[in-house]
Amino acid sequence: RAMELPPGRFPAARAAAVAVAYLRYLRGGPGSGLQLRELRRARRQDIDDVGHKYYLELELEDVLDKDRTVNCTAEVLYHLGSKTSAPDVQVTVQGELRSTEEADKEFYNRIRSLEKELVAENIPDSHGNVPPELEPIHLLAWVASGYVIWQNSTENTKFHLAQVKHVKQVKRSDEDLQFDFVVLLHEMVSQEVLPWEVTLLWHPQRGARVPQSRAAGAGS
Amino acid sequence: RSQEQTASASPLLRALLETLIYCRHQVLRIKTKNEEEVKQLQLLESLEHLELDFWINPSAPALPVDVRIPAVSVQSVKAFLESQGIQYSILIEDLQDVLDKEKQDMVESAQRQRSTSSFDFGAYHTLDDINAELDNLASEYSFVEKIQIGESYEKRPLYVLKFSTRGSKRPAIWLDAGIHSREWVTQASAMWIANKIASDYGTDESITSLLNKMDLFLLPVANPDGFVYTHTSNRMWRKTRSKIPGSICVGVDPNRNWDAGFGGPGASNNPCSESYHGPSANSEVEVKSVVDFIKNHGNFKAFLTLHSYSQLLMYPYGYKCTRPDDYAELESLGRAAASSIRSLYGTTFQVGTICKTIYQASGGSIDWSYDNGIKYSFAFELRDTGRYGFLLPANQILPAAKETWLGLKKIMEHVRDKSS
C-alpha cells in the first residue's frame, strides 16, 4: 500500500534530506562527505497509529571525489504526531565507499599533536571560502549537524548546515578527538537560520558520537 | 561602376552591397625585375575599366607593387601578368574575409577592454561597487539606461537597468535579483547577465532580436538595505530592514509581502520570523516601488525573479496548491528552460509550481504578477543544493550565471515569439 511519490516534489525531498543527514552522521569523517546527487525513486506508506514511512532510492556522491557515486536505499519513518521523537532511519549502501583510512589517521595525528587547541570560525566565510586545512573540520561539522538534523526533523522541515559559526577543539585524556561546534542550521520551510551547540567526539576507528547538542540562544 | 550601382540600389540592397563590397577581391604583390615590367604595370594602371586599386604604385623595379583587384578582373589580370612573365604572389585571397575578421577582433577587444577595466563578474561585490558598475554599463551602451524606481526603507535608491533599443513602453520583460539579501549568487549573477546582454546586443542573434522587439528591465539588488546588512552585520539576513511598530524585531520578508493571497498559509504574522509577511500587503517600500512601476508601465509580458538556493525553476501558484490556467504552457516552457540550463554543466533544476515543489507560501511576487496579467511569471532558485547553500564560493558565480542565463534566454525567446 505504498504510494509512488514524484521525486521533484518536496515531501520526498524532505525525507531524502533526513536519510542523507543520518548517513553523514554514521559514515562521515574528516576525509569524506556524502551529498545527494539524485533522488531516484520515492514511495510513501501511511501506517495507521504509527506514522508515515518513506521508501527511497538515492544516488550519492562524495564531495571530495565527484566522479565517485554510490547507490543506496533508505527507509524514513516519521512517527505520528510526535514532536519529541526522532524519525527512525535505516540506510543500506550498495557497494563500497572510498576508504579514508589514511586521511583519517593523518588528520587524527595532526590534531592530537597540536600544542594549542584548534579554534576557528565562519566556515565557510561570507564568500564561500574554506581554507584547505579546515576542510576536514568542515566535514566533521557535517557529521555533527547530520546527527542534529536527523534528531530534529519532521515532515514539515528540511535542514541544511548553513555555516560553522565557531569550532573549538577540547583536548581529552582518552583517545577521542572532541570538537565543540556552534553551527547554523538553515531550515528551508520556515527559512529560519538556527544556531545549535553540538559536541562531537570522533575516533578514526570508532567513528563519531554526539554526547550533547542543544539549540543555542536566539540569534542576532 | 560598383559605386554607381550602389547609389542607385534600394536601401536594403545598398546595405547588402556595402557590406559585401570586397567579396572575392584579391590583393596581389607584384615583384618587378626591370624598368620594362614597371612600364607594363603602369599601362595596367591606366586601364580604368579594370578598377584596379594600387596600394603601392608601380614606380621603380626594386619596389614591390601591391594592388587590389575586383573579383571580376582577377583572372584577366593574372593572365596578363603570366603572359608577360611578371612574378606575383597572392597577399590576400579574399579581402572581405580579412575585413570581417578585423571588425570582429575590434569588437572583442573593446569588450575585453571594458571587462578588464575594473568589475570582476566572478567575485562578490559591495552595493557601492555594484552601483558604480551600473553607471558604467549605462554610460558604455547607448541603449542601456539606469533609472531609479524608488527608495528603500533606509533611503537607498532602487536602481533598475533599462535595456531599450527604440520605441516607448514596448512589451517588456522584468528581471530582479536579491530580494532576499543573503542569496548573494543572485545579485552577482544579475550583474553578469546585465553585462552579457549589453555587450552581446548586435552580435548575438537571440539577444539582438529580443531587444529589437522588446524592452528589458533588470533590478539587480531588490533589497539594498538587507544586502548592506549582510555585508556589515549578519551574512544570513533575509528580510528588509524596516522597523516594526510594537516589536523589537526588524524586517519583513519581501517575498511574502505582495498582494497575492496575502497573510495566508506559508507566511508568518510574527515580526521576529524570517517569513513575516508584514503589517499589510505592499507595506514594504521595496515591494511597493516595483508594483507601482510595473502597473504604471502597463505592458510587461514576463516577470522573472532570482533566488537561491535549491536549483528549482518554478511558476505560480505558491499561495494555493491549485494549478494556474496556463499550467501546460508554463510547465512545458519551464522544462525547456531547465533543459537549457542542464546543457551547459549538467546542473539539474526541478520544475513545478511553487506550492508543490518547495512549499505553500503566500504573498509571493510571481503569484502577484501572474494574477495581474503577466502570464510568463517564473521564480528561479539557483545553485547549489545545500553543500554551500547561501555561502556559494565565488568560483561558482560565473558557471551559475551562465547556466541561469540559458534558462532565462529560453523563456525570453518564447515570450518574444508570443508577443509579436
Side-chain angles (χ1 to χ4, degrees):
Chain A
R1 280 176 58 241
M3 200 172 64
E4 201 73 31
L5 296 178
R9 294 188 180 179
F10 67 76
R14 289 176 192 176
V18 176
V20 172
Y22 176 76
L23 198 57
R24 282 187 184 149
Y25 170 61
L26 265 202
R27 304 285 213 112
S32 102
L34 292 170
Q35 80 176 352
L36 183 66
R37 177 177 287 192
E38 198 187 326
L39 174 58
R40 287 271 165 80
R41 193 184 172 200
R43 289 169 299 148
R44 191 181 96 197
Q45 187 187 18
D46 295 348
I47 306 172
D48 290 342
D49 301 325
V50 177
H52 298 156
K53 191 169 194 188
Y54 290 74
Y55 298 86
L56 309 168
E57 290 173 24
L58 311 158
E59 190 189 2
L60 306 168
E61 68 186 19
D62 183 340
V63 297
L64 296 183
D65 185 5
K66 289 266 178 76
D67 292 333
R68 244 187 145 103
T69 63
V70 77
N71 290 326
C72 88
T73 56
E75 289 174 15
V76 178
L77 171 61
Y78 296 101
H79 294 280
L80 202 62
S82 175
K83 287 210 162 81
T84 54
S85 167
D88 292 341
V89 185
Q90 278 184 305
V91 178
T92 310
V93 178
Q94 281 134 21
E96 284 297 305
L97 294 172
R98 177 176 58 92
S99 166
T100 55
E101 216 180 296
E102 277 303 306
D104 287 353
K105 204 160 60 155
E106 192 244 71
F107 170 78
Y108 180 77
N109 291 335
R110 174 158 68 92
I111 301 297
R112 288 281 279 191
S113 62
L114 288 176
E115 270 190 28
K116 261 181 53 179
E117 289 167 324
L118 180 147
V119 173
E121 38 183 42
N122 293 334
I123 307 168
D125 67 16
S126 283
H127 293 222
N129 297 319
V130 178
E133 67 274 13
L134 288 180
E135 187 61 42
I137 302 291
H138 189 205
L139 292 173
L140 281 178
W142 270 21
V143 176
S145 56
Y147 175 84
V148 175
I149 289 169
W150 161 42
Q151 289 290 307
N152 290 277
S153 288
T154 69
E155 277 173 296
N156 298 317
T157 63
K158 188 163 188 273
F159 288 97
H160 290 282
L161 172 63
Q163 190 181 38
V164 181
K165 210 58 200 149
H166 193 268
V167 58
K168 194 184 73 185
Q169 178 202 357
V170 176
K171 287 202 178 186
R172 294 173 66 88
S173 51
D174 65 21
E175 289 191 347
D176 284 337
L177 297 183
Q178 176 178 339
F179 296 97
D180 289 353
F181 288 101
V182 176
V183 293
L184 296 179
L185 298 184
H186 173 225
E187 202 289 290
M188 193 70 78
V189 181
S190 63
Q191 289 295 338
E192 300 296 329
V193 172
L194 306 159
W196 274 79
E197 293 168 2
V198 195
T199 297
L200 180 77
L201 300 177
W202 181 80
H203 183 274
Q205 275 89 53
R206 285 195 292 277
R209 213 157 79 248
V210 174
Q212 63 186 23
S213 65
R214 63 170 190 172
S220 59
Chain B
R1 192 179 57 219
S2 59
Q3 272 175 327
E4 280 167 23
Q5 282 177 333
T6 309
S8 64
S10 70
L12 184 63
L13 191 54
R14 194 184 317 156
L16 190 65
L17 288 171
E18 274 161 7
T19 54
L20 297 175
I21 211 165
Y22 298 111
C23 188
R24 292 196 332 276
H25 287 212
Q26 285 196 357
V27 179
L28 301 184
R29 170 156 290 179
I30 305 170
K31 298 269 180 61
T32 47
K33 296 189 283 291
N34 49 49
E35 278 291 346
E36 177 59 35
E37 288 185 358
V38 174
K39 284 211 171 68
Q40 295 282 34
L41 291 183
Q42 284 166 341
L43 180 66
L44 205 60
E45 200 178 1
S46 68
L47 300 175
E48 284 183 11
H49 70 279
L50 291 176
E51 293 191 7
L52 301 178
D53 174 18
F54 283 84
W55 291 3
I56 304 176
N57 296 85
S59 53
L63 298 170
V65 173
D66 289 348
V67 57
R68 174 180 63 80
I69 309 171
V72 65
S73 307
V74 168
Q75 289 317 311
S76 43
V77 170
K78 281 180 178 173
F80 170 75
L81 293 174
E82 283 160 23
S83 70
Q84 300 299 307
I86 299 174
Q87 281 189 332
Y88 70 90
S89 59
I90 301 174
L91 263 191
I92 299 175
E93 280 266 13
D94 185 334
L95 186 57
Q96 192 59 45
D97 285 349
V98 171
L99 292 174
D100 289 345
K101 173 92 184 19
E102 184 182 49
K103 189 162 156 193
Q104 195 188 333
D105 284 350
M106 280 167 59
V107 167
E108 283 169 16
S109 168
Q111 279 175 7
R112 260 196 313 277
Q113 282 250 38
R114 275 211 63 253
S115 58
T116 55
S117 64
S118 50
F119 197 85
D120 179 359
F121 292 99
Y124 291 114
H125 290 280
T126 61
L127 184 65
D128 287 344
D129 286 349
I130 288 175
N131 285 339
E133 178 60 15
L134 296 181
D135 284 330
N136 194 21
L137 287 168
S139 73
E140 199 68 36
Y141 299 97
S142 59
F143 57 94
V144 179
E145 195 191 335
K146 187 187 86 172
I147 57 180
Q148 181 173 346
I149 64 165
E151 268 185 350
S152 69
Y153 181 84
E154 291 174 346
K155 304 277 181 270
R156 294 185 174 87
L158 297 169
Y159 287 134
V160 165
L161 279 188
K162 175 183 179 185
F163 296 80
S164 181
T165 60
R166 65 204 78 176
S168 153
K169 293 258 171 97
R170 308 176 92 202
I173 294 171
W174 173 267
L175 175 60
D176 69 65
I179 196 170
H180 290 138
S181 37
R182 61 191 179 198
E183 299 167 6
W184 277 18
V185 70
T186 67
Q187 299 94 334
S189 294
M191 292 309 290
W192 182 88
I193 289 166
N195 182 63
K196 173 74 174 164
I197 296 172
S199 55
D200 274 16
Y201 175 73
T203 53
D204 177 285
E205 212 183 296
S206 177
I207 292 176
T208 305
S209 77
L210 178 76
L211 289 184
N212 282 347
K213 292 211 172 104
M214 306 183 74
D215 290 346
L216 179 79
F217 292 85
L218 170 53
L219 173 61
V221 186
N223 178 6
D225 295 349
F227 188 57
V228 169
Y229 200 72
T230 60
H231 279 271
T232 59
S233 308
N234 181 355
R235 176 63 179 80
M236 296 293 170
W237 191 260
R238 165 183 170 90
K239 303 189 285 182
T240 61
R241 290 294 300 164
S242 56
K243 305 267 180 294
I244 299 160
S247 177
I248 53 163
C249 290
V250 173
V252 167
D253 184 340
N255 207 30
R256 300 287 185 278
N257 189 244
W258 300 69
D259 193 7
F262 177 81
S268 172
N269 60 3
N270 178 353
C272 300
S273 164
E274 291 281 26
S275 57
Y276 173 53
H277 49 55
S280 59
N282 300 322
S283 63
E284 301 313 282
V285 63
E286 293 84 354
V287 170
K288 181 116 188 7
S289 303
V290 176
V291 169
D292 288 347
F293 181 77
I294 288 181
K295 278 188 160 162
N296 289 337
H297 183 281
N299 204 12
F300 275 91
K301 302 297 177 199
F303 185 98
L304 310 169
T305 183
L306 302 184
H307 290 262
S308 77
Y309 57 95
S310 286
Q311 291 170 204
L312 307 170
L313 213 170
M314 300 177 290
Y315 51 90
Y317 286 105
Y319 72 83
K320 56 185 177 182
C321 284
T322 50
R323 289 177 172 178
D325 287 344
D326 300 291
Y327 167 78
E329 188 183 357
L330 296 179
E331 170 72 19
S332 165
L333 182 54
R335 282 179 191 265
S339 198
S340 298
I341 292 174
R342 192 171 62 243
S343 72
L344 197 54
Y345 302 111
T347 308
T348 53
F349 275 55
Q350 299 294 332
V351 178
T353 65
I354 294 174
C355 194
K356 289 276 153 83
T357 307
I358 198 171
Y359 41 50
Q360 190 173 10
S362 57
S365 63
I366 69 167
D367 286 355
W368 171 82
S369 61
Y370 185 76
D371 280 350
N372 277 269
I374 303 175
K375 177 170 26 162
Y376 300 103
S377 294
F378 288 91
F380 287 64
E381 292 272 359
L382 308 194
R383 290 190 185 193
D384 59 15
T385 53
R387 178 171 180 196
Y388 290 99
F390 300 122
L391 307 180
L392 195 71
N395 64 15
Q396 288 197 46
I397 293 174
L398 292 181
K402 288 174 183 174
E403 69 194 5
T404 301
W405 169 240
L406 292 183
L408 290 168
K409 200 156 77 127
K410 182 61 89 178
I411 293 172
M412 293 184 187
E413 285 163 356
H414 183 90
V415 177
R416 172 201 69 199
D417 294 342
K418 293 287 182 164
S419 296
S420 55

